[in-house]
Amino acid sequence: MQKLVVAQDTGSAILGAVRADYFAGTGADAGRLAASMNQPLRLWALWPRQLPAP
């Protein structure tokens, strides 16, 4: 899957380096998609120059 996504969650459920959570929606179809989403990840973070890194 190749998607451009926007970070909208600041929760604490995602732990560790280079991990992400993809919200696939609600319902049975979304549950089946989410169950198959555990896969390797390449992630790029776009960060404004004027803000310090976290």
Side-chain angles (χ1 to χ4, degrees), residues 8-34:
Q8 296 181 325
D9 187 0
T10 59
S12 61
I14 304 169
L15 302 175
V18 193
R19 295 183 183 266
D21 188 15
Y22 179 79
F23 178 71
T26 60
D29 288 338
R32 284 189 288 277
L33 175 62

Side-chain angles (χ1 to χ4, degrees), residues 5 10-11 15-16 20 22 26 28-29 32 37-38 43-44 46 49-50:
V5 297
T10 59
L15 302 175
Y22 179 79
T26 60
D29 288 338
R32 284 189 288 277
M37 294 287 290
N38 188 0
L43 180 68
W44 290 267
L46 305 178
R49 289 182 188 210
Q50 66 271 23

